[in-house]
Amino acid sequence: MSKQENTLQFGDVAIQILSNSDELTVAELAIPAGAVASIHQHPHEEVNYVVSGVLDFMCDGEVTTLRAGEAMRVPPNQPHNITCHPDAPGVVLTAWSPSRQDLIAKLAK
C-alpha cells in the first residue's frame, strides 16, 4: 500500500498506519502547528513518542508538555487529546495495544 492508502485524516491530524498485527498498531501522527486533536477515548492502551515539535498531551484532565525524545502512556478508556504548540508542526509515533482494528477498517473503505 502507498503512504496515501495507509493514511487517515481526523480533523487536522493525519494518521499514517506503519504496522499492524492482532496485538499492536503503530502509526505516525502528523499534527500541524497549533492544531488540536479532539478529546476522545478508546479501550486501547496507547504510548506516544514525540519525534518532533512541542505538544501538550491531556490525559484524564491533566496536561503534560512533551518535546522531541519524550514519551507518555495513555491508559485504556481515559479521555485524552493532543495540542501542538503554534511554533512548529509535530510528529508523534503512537503505538496501541490491542491493535486499532477500527482504524484498519476505515482504511479498507
Side-chain angles (χ1 to χ4, degrees), residues 87-108:
D87 301 336
V91 175
V92 177
L93 187 63
T94 299
W96 294 282
S97 181
S99 69
R100 290 294 305 264
Q101 293 301 316
D102 56 323
L103 298 180
I104 301 306
K106 289 180 187 218
L107 287 174

Side-chain angles (χ1 to χ4, degrees), residues 34-85:
V36 178
S38 62
I39 296 173
H40 63 285
Q41 65 187 59
H42 42 73
H44 311 85
E45 181 174 24
E46 177 177 322
V47 174
N48 295 291
Y49 173 82
V50 177
V51 176
S52 64
V54 179
L55 300 110
D56 291 329
F57 288 79
M58 188 282 296
C59 181
D60 200 26
E62 184 176 322
V63 177
T64 302
T65 301
L66 298 180
R67 291 167 175 72
E70 298 179 320
M72 75 171 287
R73 175 184 170 267
V74 177
N77 300 309
Q78 290 297 312
H80 60 283
N81 81 327
I82 302 172
T83 301
C84 189
H85 284 213

